[in-house]
Amino acid sequence: MSFRFWRRIKIAPGVTLNLSKSGGSLSFGPRGAKFTVGSRGKRATMGIPGTGLFYTTPITGGKGGKRRSASSATAPTVSPKDRLTLGFFKRLITPDDEEALVDGCRELVLGDENKALGYLKKATHLADGAYLAGFLSLKQAQLQKAADYLSLAAENHRRLGRYFDKYGISATMILPITDEVSAHVGPDLRGVLLGLVEAYQGQKHWADATACLERLRRLDPDDVVVKLSLAELLLEASRGDRSVYRKVVRLAEGIENETPVHTALLFYKAKALYGLGLLDAARDTLTGALRRKKGRSGELLRALRYERILVYEDLGQHRRARSELEKLYAETPDYEDVAARLGL
């Protein structure tokens, strides 16, 4: 999980100035489709409405490699010291807990996570303070603390964002799904519950993690990120349970290979079909998932290919399985037990 924190200043409809730890940038475009110019160059961001998924693609120059444009050369950069004199963290007459929240945000901007968490612990009865403390604890692998803080945020979810709005803070947590796709979660119930799932799963508290995901499914039955997380969790927690395999197959009902997240869900569907002994269906699902490679991570594609090899072997298609094993070994000799299966 990575942490993104910035102050966002609205300039005009569809245009915002983002002041982040890495410097300033300008974003243009409607929600769900942004073109950003900043110190890291130009980026195009496309979102899938309602899913929390974003694809971010750097845009390079013409032939001959990257070319720095006039826009990126003059993109605004803001030093940490200057950001703290923009008036945003101006010392105000505020209650102690609210002041602790602001101090915690300031330390996050400066990059001192330990000091930030020290302040935020004093503001956890504010929903926004519990939200930040929870995700920061999660990033530092303090899983039980993260669960405690995020549970507080969930209990007070109707107040999430109140102080962020007051001080002009935009705080977004990024939960990676693949190398190319992440779930960007904000200070709302959905984001908090997804964070709780990660905290519970890390502690192998399967029932608690499942309860959070089922709650999310009730909020939005079509959320593909939730379906993917639930399928992964169920297969990890209940290996060999045929009722779980059937549930995973139902989760993937009607899913097409639209995005890398959909591809990953098809992977778990195939594993469930394999567990049910439906080998032809598992093979066909994996083959369909492998037809689209653009934007899919190498790790996901290797997992799909390896799973299909196992299906080939159980179907008695040994020559095909051997051929695929050799190709996989040539690319990644240490992947899973490929070398052992080849007798090497």
Side-chain angles (χ1 to χ4, degrees), residues 257 263 266 281-293 296 304 308:
N257 195 8
T263 306
L266 289 173
R283 178 198 58 203
D284 293 345
T285 299
L286 291 164
T287 298
L290 282 163
R291 287 198 181 106
R292 300 188 72 171
K293 296 180 174 60
R296 279 64 175 167
L304 288 163
R308 191 170 62 172

PDB file of all heavy atoms in Angstrom, residues 257 263 266 281-293 296 304 308:
ATOM      1  N   ASN A 257     -13.382 -10.108 -19.973  1.00  0.00           N
ATOM      2  CA  ASN A 257     -11.966  -9.780 -19.798  1.00  0.00           C
ATOM      3  C   ASN A 257     -11.697  -8.326 -20.192  1.00  0.00           C
ATOM      4  O   ASN A 257     -10.964  -8.042 -21.136  1.00  0.00           O
ATOM      5  CB  ASN A 257     -11.121 -10.738 -20.637  1.00  0.00           C
ATOM      6  CG  ASN A 257      -9.662 -10.713 -20.240  1.00  0.00           C
ATOM      7  OD1 ASN A 257      -9.286 -10.100 -19.254  1.00  0.00           O
ATOM      8  ND2 ASN A 257      -8.831 -11.384 -21.026  1.00  0.00           N
ATOM      9  N   THR A 263      -9.361  -9.726 -15.462  1.00  0.00           N
ATOM     10  CA  THR A 263      -8.505 -10.868 -15.795  1.00  0.00           C
ATOM     11  C   THR A 263      -8.144 -11.647 -14.536  1.00  0.00           C
ATOM     12  O   THR A 263      -8.173 -12.886 -14.515  1.00  0.00           O
ATOM     13  CB  THR A 263      -7.224 -10.403 -16.501  1.00  0.00           C
ATOM     14  OG1 THR A 263      -7.554  -9.601 -17.623  1.00  0.00           O
ATOM     15  CG2 THR A 263      -6.389 -11.589 -16.959  1.00  0.00           C
ATOM     16  N   LEU A 266     -11.017 -13.687 -13.398  1.00  0.00           N
ATOM     17  CA  LEU A 266     -11.159 -14.881 -14.225  1.00  0.00           C
ATOM     18  C   LEU A 266     -10.148 -15.952 -13.811  1.00  0.00           C
ATOM     19  O   LEU A 266     -10.431 -17.159 -13.884  1.00  0.00           O
ATOM     20  CB  LEU A 266     -10.973 -14.518 -15.703  1.00  0.00           C
ATOM     21  CG  LEU A 266     -12.114 -13.710 -16.332  1.00  0.00           C
ATOM     22  CD1 LEU A 266     -11.728 -13.255 -17.742  1.00  0.00           C
ATOM     23  CD2 LEU A 266     -13.408 -14.522 -16.378  1.00  0.00           C
ATOM     24  N   ALA A 281     -13.822 -26.530 -18.586  1.00  0.00           N
ATOM     25  CA  ALA A 281     -14.257 -25.155 -18.311  1.00  0.00           C
ATOM     26  C   ALA A 281     -13.105 -24.318 -17.765  1.00  0.00           C
ATOM     27  O   ALA A 281     -12.946 -23.141 -18.118  1.00  0.00           O
ATOM     28  CB  ALA A 281     -15.426 -25.163 -17.321  1.00  0.00           C
ATOM     29  N   ALA A 282     -12.285 -24.924 -16.906  1.00  0.00           N
ATOM     30  CA  ALA A 282     -11.129 -24.206 -16.360  1.00  0.00           C
ATOM     31  C   ALA A 282     -10.149 -23.840 -17.465  1.00  0.00           C
ATOM     32  O   ALA A 282      -9.638 -22.713 -17.534  1.00  0.00           O
ATOM     33  CB  ALA A 282     -10.447 -25.059 -15.298  1.00  0.00           C
ATOM     34  N   ARG A 283      -9.866 -24.807 -18.355  1.00  0.00           N
ATOM     35  CA  ARG A 283      -8.945 -24.552 -19.473  1.00  0.00           C
ATOM     36  C   ARG A 283      -9.468 -23.439 -20.367  1.00  0.00           C
ATOM     37  O   ARG A 283      -8.713 -22.508 -20.733  1.00  0.00           O
ATOM     38  CB  ARG A 283      -8.778 -25.828 -20.294  1.00  0.00           C
ATOM     39  CG  ARG A 283      -7.876 -25.664 -21.530  1.00  0.00           C
ATOM     40  CD  ARG A 283      -8.109 -26.796 -22.507  1.00  0.00           C
ATOM     41  NE  ARG A 283      -9.510 -26.852 -22.916  1.00  0.00           N
ATOM     42  CZ  ARG A 283     -10.111 -27.951 -23.390  1.00  0.00           C
ATOM     43  NH1 ARG A 283      -9.446 -29.069 -23.522  1.00  0.00           N
ATOM     44  NH2 ARG A 283     -11.386 -27.913 -23.731  1.00  0.00           N
ATOM     45  N   ASP A 284     -10.748 -23.484 -20.712  1.00  0.00           N
ATOM     46  CA  ASP A 284     -11.314 -22.470 -21.601  1.00  0.00           C
ATOM     47  C   ASP A 284     -11.300 -21.090 -20.945  1.00  0.00           C
ATOM     48  O   ASP A 284     -11.061 -20.076 -21.614  1.00  0.00           O
ATOM     49  CB  ASP A 284     -12.740 -22.856 -21.997  1.00  0.00           C
ATOM     50  CG  ASP A 284     -12.786 -24.112 -22.863  1.00  0.00           C
ATOM     51  OD1 ASP A 284     -11.726 -24.514 -23.384  1.00  0.00           O
ATOM     52  OD2 ASP A 284     -13.885 -24.692 -23.007  1.00  0.00           O
ATOM     53  N   THR A 285     -11.556 -21.029 -19.654  1.00  0.00           N
ATOM     54  CA  THR A 285     -11.527 -19.751 -18.934  1.00  0.00           C
ATOM     55  C   THR A 285     -10.127 -19.159 -18.938  1.00  0.00           C
ATOM     56  O   THR A 285      -9.935 -17.952 -19.174  1.00  0.00           O
ATOM     57  CB  THR A 285     -12.017 -19.940 -17.487  1.00  0.00           C
ATOM     58  OG1 THR A 285     -13.362 -20.422 -17.501  1.00  0.00           O
ATOM     59  CG2 THR A 285     -11.967 -18.625 -16.715  1.00  0.00           C
ATOM     60  N   LEU A 286      -9.125 -19.985 -18.688  1.00  0.00           N
ATOM     61  CA  LEU A 286      -7.737 -19.518 -18.683  1.00  0.00           C
ATOM     62  C   LEU A 286      -7.293 -19.084 -20.071  1.00  0.00           C
ATOM     63  O   LEU A 286      -6.612 -18.054 -20.226  1.00  0.00           O
ATOM     64  CB  LEU A 286      -6.823 -20.624 -18.156  1.00  0.00           C
ATOM     65  CG  LEU A 286      -6.991 -20.944 -16.666  1.00  0.00           C
ATOM     66  CD1 LEU A 286      -6.359 -22.286 -16.342  1.00  0.00           C
ATOM     67  CD2 LEU A 286      -6.377 -19.844 -15.808  1.00  0.00           C
ATOM     68  N   THR A 287      -7.684 -19.828 -21.080  1.00  0.00           N
ATOM     69  CA  THR A 287      -7.323 -19.471 -22.458  1.00  0.00           C
ATOM     70  C   THR A 287      -7.952 -18.141 -22.846  1.00  0.00           C
ATOM     71  O   THR A 287      -7.302 -17.276 -23.450  1.00  0.00           O
ATOM     72  CB  THR A 287      -7.780 -20.575 -23.428  1.00  0.00           C
ATOM     73  OG1 THR A 287      -7.101 -21.789 -23.094  1.00  0.00           O
ATOM     74  CG2 THR A 287      -7.445 -20.210 -24.867  1.00  0.00           C
ATOM     75  N   GLY A 288      -9.209 -17.944 -22.467  1.00  0.00           N
ATOM     76  CA  GLY A 288      -9.866 -16.667 -22.746  1.00  0.00           C
ATOM     77  C   GLY A 288      -9.194 -15.518 -22.020  1.00  0.00           C
ATOM     78  O   GLY A 288      -9.025 -14.430 -22.579  1.00  0.00           O
ATOM     79  N   ALA A 289      -8.789 -15.737 -20.776  1.00  0.00           N
ATOM     80  CA  ALA A 289      -8.121 -14.685 -20.004  1.00  0.00           C
ATOM     81  C   ALA A 289      -6.780 -14.321 -20.615  1.00  0.00           C
ATOM     82  O   ALA A 289      -6.345 -13.162 -20.550  1.00  0.00           O
ATOM     83  CB  ALA A 289      -7.945 -15.132 -18.559  1.00  0.00           C
ATOM     84  N   LEU A 290      -6.107 -15.299 -21.236  1.00  0.00           N
ATOM     85  CA  LEU A 290      -4.779 -15.056 -21.810  1.00  0.00           C
ATOM     86  C   LEU A 290      -4.835 -14.405 -23.186  1.00  0.00           C
ATOM     87  O   LEU A 290      -3.799 -14.031 -23.730  1.00  0.00           O
ATOM     88  CB  LEU A 290      -4.002 -16.375 -21.902  1.00  0.00           C
ATOM     89  CG  LEU A 290      -3.394 -16.854 -20.589  1.00  0.00           C
ATOM     90  CD1 LEU A 290      -3.009 -18.319 -20.671  1.00  0.00           C
ATOM     91  CD2 LEU A 290      -2.180 -15.985 -20.229  1.00  0.00           C
ATOM     92  N   ARG A 291      -6.024 -14.262 -23.748  1.00  0.00           N
ATOM     93  CA  ARG A 291      -6.118 -13.659 -25.081  1.00  0.00           C
ATOM     94  C   ARG A 291      -5.807 -12.162 -25.056  1.00  0.00           C
ATOM     95  O   ARG A 291      -5.456 -11.592 -26.083  1.00  0.00           O
ATOM     96  CB  ARG A 291      -7.520 -13.888 -25.654  1.00  0.00           C
ATOM     97  CG  ARG A 291      -7.760 -15.323 -26.095  1.00  0.00           C
ATOM     98  CD  ARG A 291      -8.943 -15.446 -27.025  1.00  0.00           C
ATOM     99  NE  ARG A 291      -9.145 -16.840 -27.413  1.00  0.00           N
ATOM    100  CZ  ARG A 291     -10.113 -17.609 -26.951  1.00  0.00           C
ATOM    101  NH1 ARG A 291     -10.986 -17.106 -26.083  1.00  0.00           N
ATOM    102  NH2 ARG A 291     -10.235 -18.864 -27.343  1.00  0.00           N
ATOM    103  N   ARG A 292      -5.966 -11.528 -23.903  1.00  0.00           N
ATOM    104  CA  ARG A 292      -5.672 -10.098 -23.798  1.00  0.00           C
ATOM    105  C   ARG A 292      -4.493  -9.928 -22.854  1.00  0.00           C
ATOM    106  O   ARG A 292      -4.598 -10.187 -21.660  1.00  0.00           O
ATOM    107  CB  ARG A 292      -6.898  -9.341 -23.290  1.00  0.00           C
ATOM    108  CG  ARG A 292      -8.106  -9.489 -24.188  1.00  0.00           C
ATOM    109  CD  ARG A 292      -9.254  -8.590 -23.771  1.00  0.00           C
ATOM    110  NE  ARG A 292      -8.962  -7.193 -24.068  1.00  0.00           N
ATOM    111  CZ  ARG A 292      -9.878  -6.225 -23.959  1.00  0.00           C
ATOM    112  NH1 ARG A 292     -11.108  -6.508 -23.551  1.00  0.00           N
ATOM    113  NH2 ARG A 292      -9.570  -4.989 -24.244  1.00  0.00           N
ATOM    114  N   LYS A 293      -3.387  -9.473 -23.421  1.00  0.00           N
ATOM    115  CA  LYS A 293      -2.163  -9.320 -22.640  1.00  0.00           C
ATOM    116  C   LYS A 293      -1.809  -7.861 -22.367  1.00  0.00           C
ATOM    117  O   LYS A 293      -1.061  -7.566 -21.445  1.00  0.00           O
ATOM    118  CB  LYS A 293      -0.993 -10.009 -23.352  1.00  0.00           C
ATOM    119  CG  LYS A 293      -1.172 -11.522 -23.475  1.00  0.00           C
ATOM    120  CD  LYS A 293       0.007 -12.148 -24.183  1.00  0.00           C
ATOM    121  CE  LYS A 293      -0.096 -13.674 -24.178  1.00  0.00           C
ATOM    122  NZ  LYS A 293      -1.302 -14.172 -24.855  1.00  0.00           N
ATOM    123  N   ARG A 296      -1.659  -6.147 -18.795  1.00  0.00           N
ATOM    124  CA  ARG A 296      -1.612  -7.161 -17.755  1.00  0.00           C
ATOM    125  C   ARG A 296      -0.170  -7.349 -17.291  1.00  0.00           C
ATOM    126  O   ARG A 296       0.745  -7.367 -18.098  1.00  0.00           O
ATOM    127  CB  ARG A 296      -2.157  -8.493 -18.262  1.00  0.00           C
ATOM    128  CG  ARG A 296      -3.674  -8.623 -18.257  1.00  0.00           C
ATOM    129  CD  ARG A 296      -4.352  -7.658 -19.182  1.00  0.00           C
ATOM    130  NE  ARG A 296      -5.804  -7.880 -19.262  1.00  0.00           N
ATOM    131  CZ  ARG A 296      -6.632  -7.016 -19.798  1.00  0.00           C
ATOM    132  NH1 ARG A 296      -6.183  -5.866 -20.275  1.00  0.00           N
ATOM    133  NH2 ARG A 296      -7.923  -7.279 -19.843  1.00  0.00           N
ATOM    134  N   LEU A 304      -1.531 -17.295 -14.868  1.00  0.00           N
ATOM    135  CA  LEU A 304      -2.542 -17.879 -15.754  1.00  0.00           C
ATOM    136  C   LEU A 304      -1.963 -19.042 -16.553  1.00  0.00           C
ATOM    137  O   LEU A 304      -2.594 -20.101 -16.691  1.00  0.00           O
ATOM    138  CB  LEU A 304      -3.071 -16.802 -16.709  1.00  0.00           C
ATOM    139  CG  LEU A 304      -3.975 -15.723 -16.111  1.00  0.00           C
ATOM    140  CD1 LEU A 304      -4.063 -14.526 -17.045  1.00  0.00           C
ATOM    141  CD2 LEU A 304      -5.375 -16.281 -15.835  1.00  0.00           C
ATOM    142  N   ARG A 308      -2.934 -23.078 -16.291  1.00  0.00           N
ATOM    143  CA  ARG A 308      -3.392 -23.824 -17.459  1.00  0.00           C
ATOM    144  C   ARG A 308      -2.534 -25.070 -17.692  1.00  0.00           C
ATOM    145  O   ARG A 308      -3.035 -26.104 -18.138  1.00  0.00           O
ATOM    146  CB  ARG A 308      -3.389 -22.936 -18.703  1.00  0.00           C
ATOM    147  CG  ARG A 308      -4.100 -23.572 -19.888  1.00  0.00           C
ATOM    148  CD  ARG A 308      -4.308 -22.617 -21.025  1.00  0.00           C
ATOM    149  NE  ARG A 308      -3.057 -22.126 -21.586  1.00  0.00           N
ATOM    150  CZ  ARG A 308      -2.978 -21.381 -22.695  1.00  0.00           C
ATOM    151  NH1 ARG A 308      -4.080 -21.040 -23.343  1.00  0.00           N
ATOM    152  NH2 ARG A 308      -1.817 -20.967 -23.144  1.00  0.00           N
TER     153      ARG A 308
END
